[in-house]
């Protein structure tokens, strides 16, 4: 009888361990960009916070850059269907790229989980650039639009849109923009610091270390008020304001219960000290929105961005 009781206890212990393991899933995260950029920063910092809080047991990363994230999106759609432990990082950049390139895949093919952050853009030049101010850069841009090259993320993304809005606000034909897209933040940083482009555009967090280290000079931010002392475009006579958003998506074909389970993990992650510290350090604004509300936001933002791209005349450029 005692042996039977011991066996029952052992079986129960194994069952409890199995339940605990099940409660901490191992996630597979698609980051549809090369290492070093905003999506990569978002995904890896999110995973670190998840694991620190023991909300997941592990996170496996897959970086697949190119075409504004649509290459990674296509792979995610094709390989992760019905997988409740597969997630993908994405955001406004992908929305623009999908429209600009007439992509055969789009965000209606995946499961919106949560919008995480908003981030303002920053315009920088190499530390040895002759352009000391935004006024200097705009003067050169107006004199010879094609002679000023702008390095940033994917064509049609937030960075490209911001350059288009700056062109429009300063009387330059957006169709004459010399925009150089990069697949990841690491490539863009190397090009800007190396002087291969005139100026660079990205989220503040992506260039923060380069600015602090004196390798880049910040000229303006796309916010309504100064961020970390950087002058806004508006206070320099350029009536432009723009913020980028990033979020998390689940695989196609998962159940509502599976979706809600992932949202619960993500929501709990955003409430950790680790995640809050990351957001503060990188200048990310918490703008959490989940499930059906996030889906509605994406539908509205898709229309908004399509309108901006159409107004700038950069589709097909």
């Amino acid at each position: 009888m005692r042996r039977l009781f011991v066996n029952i206890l052992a079986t129960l212990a194994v069952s409890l361990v199995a339940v605990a393991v099940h409660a901490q899933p191992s996630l597979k995260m698609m980051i549809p960009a090369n290492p070093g950029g905003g999506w990569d920063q978002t995904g890896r910092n999110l995973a670190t916070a998840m694991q620190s809080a023991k909300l997941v047991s592990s996170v496996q990363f897959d970086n697949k850059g190119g075409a504004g994230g649509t290459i990674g999106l296509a792979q995610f759609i094709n390989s992760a269907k019905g997988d409740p432990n597969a997630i993908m990082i994405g955001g406004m950049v992908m929305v623009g790229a999908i429209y600009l390139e007439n992509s055969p895949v789009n965000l209606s093919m995946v499961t919106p989980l949560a919008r995480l952050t908003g981030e303002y853009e920053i315009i920088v030049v190499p530390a040895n650039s002759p352009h000391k101010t935004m006024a200097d850069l705009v003067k050169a841009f107006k004199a010879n639009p094609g002679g000023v090259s702008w390095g940033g993320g994917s064509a049609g993304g937030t960075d490209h849109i911001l350059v288009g809005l700056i062109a429009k606000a300063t009387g330059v034909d957006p169709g004459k923009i010399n925009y150089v897209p990069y697949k990841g933040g690491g490539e863009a940083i190397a090009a800007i610091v190396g002087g291969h482009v005139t100026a660079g555009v990205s989220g503040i967090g992506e260039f923060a270390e380069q600015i602090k280290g004196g390798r880049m000079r910040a000229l303006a931010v796309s916010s309504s008020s100064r961020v970390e002392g950087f002058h806004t475009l508006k206070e320099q006579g350029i009536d432009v304001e723009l913020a980028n958003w990033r979020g998390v998506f689940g695989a196609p074909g998962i159940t509502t219960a599976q979706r809600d389970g992932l949202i619960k993990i993500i929501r709990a992650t955003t409430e950790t000290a680790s995640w809050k510290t990351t957001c503060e350090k990188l200048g990310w604004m918490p703008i959490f929105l989940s499930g059906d509300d996030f889906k509605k936001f994406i539908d509205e933002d898709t229309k908004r961005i399509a309108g901006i791209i159409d107004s700038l005349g950069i589709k097909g450029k």
Side-chain angles (χ1 to χ4, degrees):
M1 179 65 73
R2 183 179 177 185
R3 180 176 295 177
L4 177 61
F5 181 67
V6 169
N7 287 340
I8 291 172
L9 286 177
T11 302
L12 180 59
V14 170
S15 298
L16 288 172
V17 169
V19 169
V21 170
H22 181 70
Q24 295 178 15
S26 176
L27 298 184
K28 290 167 282 186
M29 181 183 290
M30 165 60 72
I31 300 175
N34 291 350
W39 287 344
D40 192 60
Q41 284 182 328
T42 300
R44 292 179 188 273
N45 279 294
L46 187 71
T48 296
M50 284 178 172
Q51 290 174 281
S52 296
K54 294 183 168 44
L55 294 166
V56 300
S57 58
S58 65
V59 181
Q60 177 184 334
F61 302 101
D62 186 5
N63 284 81
K64 188 70 64 175
T70 57
I71 292 175
L73 173 62
Q75 180 177 310
F76 185 72
I77 290 168
N78 293 327
S79 65
K81 186 174 181 180
D83 187 344
N85 293 326
I87 61 175
M88 181 189 75
I89 303 298
M92 180 179 165
V93 170
M94 189 178 286
V95 175
I98 287 168
Y99 180 72
L100 190 73
E101 304 298 334
N102 295 311
S103 172
V105 292
N106 60 62
L107 292 176
S108 71
M109 298 178 180
V110 292
T111 305
L113 296 176
R115 185 184 67 185
L116 298 175
T117 60
E119 181 180 23
Y120 288 113
E121 298 272 285
I122 192 163
I123 296 95
V124 300
V125 292
N128 62 356
S129 170
H131 307 301
K132 306 298 183 185
T133 65
M134 194 66 200
D136 292 340
L137 182 62
V138 168
K139 183 178 179 180
F141 188 36
K142 292 174 77 170
N144 181 12
V148 173
S149 54
W150 304 78
S154 305
T158 318
D159 306 338
H160 194 180
I161 287 173
L162 180 61
V163 178
L165 292 173
I166 290 171
K168 196 172 182 181
T170 56
V172 175
D173 179 0
K176 294 182 179 179
I177 291 170
N178 180 4
Y179 184 78
V180 184
Y182 293 96
K183 293 181 180 179
E187 294 176 21
I189 288 170
I192 297 160
V193 172
H196 302 300
V197 291
T198 310
V201 185
S202 191
I204 295 172
E206 288 187 50
F207 292 159
E209 293 303 316
Q210 305 300 322
I211 296 168
K212 288 176 184 175
R215 292 176 290 278
M216 292 180 184
R217 181 186 304 122
L219 300 185
V221 289
S222 65
S223 53
S224 57
S225 57
R226 291 188 188 185
V227 177
E228 296 184 17
F230 300 130
H231 292 273
T232 68
L233 287 166
K234 284 191 171 184
E235 68 180 310
Q236 297 181 77
I238 302 168
D239 191 16
V240 172
E241 183 180 335
L242 186 69
N244 182 20
W245 63 267
R246 301 186 184 111
V248 189
F249 300 83
I254 60 174
T255 66
T256 300
Q258 289 168 337
R259 179 200 72 168
D260 292 347
L262 287 170
I263 291 173
K264 186 176 180 181
I265 291 172
I266 296 166
R267 186 189 296 275
T269 303
T270 63
E271 294 169 353
T272 64
S274 172
W275 179 252
K276 289 178 180 178
T277 299
T278 293
C279 289
E280 185 175 348
K281 177 183 175 183
L282 296 176
W284 295 347
M285 299 175 289
I287 51 170
F288 190 88
L289 191 69
S290 64
D292 293 337
D293 290 335
F294 182 35
K295 182 182 183 304
K296 182 181 178 183
F297 167 80
I298 292 168
D299 292 341
E300 292 171 349
D301 206 49
T302 298
K303 294 175 184 175
R304 181 181 72 90
I305 293 171
I308 292 173
I309 290 175
D310 286 343
S311 73
L312 296 175
I314 59 177
K315 190 173 172 68
K317 295 290 181 183

